Amino acid sequence: MKFKSLVHDPRVTSRVGTWLGIAFTICFVTGVLSHFIQHPAPWFYWPSRPINLYRITQGAHVISGVAAIPLLIAKLWTVYPKLFERPAVKSLLHALERISILVLAGAAFFELATGTFNAAQNYPWSFFFPTAHYAVAWVAFGSLLVHIAVKLPLIREHRRKEIDVSRRAFLRTTWLTSGVAVLVFGGSTIPFLRNVSALSERSNNGEQGLPVNRTAAQANVVTVDSSWRLEVAGPNGTTLFSREQLQSMRQTTAALPIACVEGWSQTATWSGVPVMDLLKAVGAPAGSAVRVSSLERAGLYNSTTLPGVHTSDPLTLLALRLEGKVLDLDHGYPCRIIAPSRPGVLQTKWVRRLEVIT
């Protein structure tokens, strides 16, 4: 079978493949960072400053993933005639190469497809997305490294060769398509794109001007009455605080972002008690790690750990107000954690207990 298109050319493939490799590397590294922030290893350290750090890394994760979709399609278009080469297997090394390419293509499509669905918060599958997405990411990146190692001599050779007008047009169209994809999806994480990103997720305003991922009804937190008390457990025992007592303590107001793992982010003005003040009130040393427990009993993140680097930051708040108004129940009333450079899923809502653990 003959394929006459000029784009089925190693020179085109090497250039598209280079940009695809860059996009995949950014997506992989930032995805691994997000995983360790949520599930930290003993050696892992994530700073609380700059306050937008997680917003930037997770935004880069989503944007590089979106940009990679047209690049992957273009890359496969340039090389698919090789599927029809005969003999199908020329040697053991050739067979291993073909298997590695099959694994890479399958893992790449899985990552990009499930990541896109996750950004839309649509899960038409039965497996647990974070675990599967993280595991397959290693398969995809590992097979990418193998592929680069095998093809590196050819990549170097063909990148030095000139490309004619027709092939340059294909490359420009590919770059433009990736750029348009970022433009129409990127508003969820790049604020100045919100008005032009037609397909961006979570760029609209929700309750109190801030989107809501998980409502109180979904968390089975129906109402919170005046009997609620915050428990703060430390070296001096457990102290109970009513909301009125919390409001009478030193209040800090700060503009902090909510940055979710799905990629959307938005800055809001929060007011509340610095967590360091609450820990000091129960005799906990500065920089103590804290277990945060929610009124939500059955949720996957109803209990989270706030590391010492965050509890010692004066901008880590037990927030009581949002944009100058009492927290809406969907945003975590009677109080919630808001900390700089943290995933939104770890900014625990409906807090009932803070427990010093180190």
Side-chain angles (χ1 to χ4, degrees), residues 19-20 22-24 26-28 30 58-74 108 111-120 133 174-190 193 197 199-201 261-264:
W19 284 103
L20 179 61
I22 292 171
F24 258 63
I26 294 172
C27 200
F28 174 75
T30 52
Q58 193 62 13
H61 178 72
V62 173
I63 287 173
S64 59
V66 169
I69 295 173
L71 292 172
L72 178 61
I73 294 172
E111 289 295 279
L112 296 178
T114 57
T116 301
F117 276 104
N118 178 64
H133 195 71
T174 301
W175 312 150
L176 179 62
T177 304
S178 286
V180 170
V182 170
L183 186 67
V184 298
F185 283 99
S188 58
T189 192
I190 305 175
L193 290 181
S197 290
L199 300 179
S200 64
E201 292 292 332
V261 294
E262 295 90 358
W264 71 264

Side-chain angles (χ1 to χ4, degrees), residues 206-210 268 321-323 325-329 331:
E207 295 293 332
Q208 294 185 281
L210 192 68
R321 304 176 76 84
L322 169 59
E323 300 295 349
K325 298 180 181 179
V326 174
L327 281 175
D328 183 84
L329 186 61
H331 280 303

Side-chain angles (χ1 to χ4, degrees), residues 290-294 302-306 337 348 351 353-354:
V290 172
R291 181 177 294 110
V292 183
S293 299
S294 172
N302 65 345
S303 177
T304 62
T305 298
L306 196 59
I337 293 293
T348 308
V351 176
R353 180 178 171 87
L354 303 177

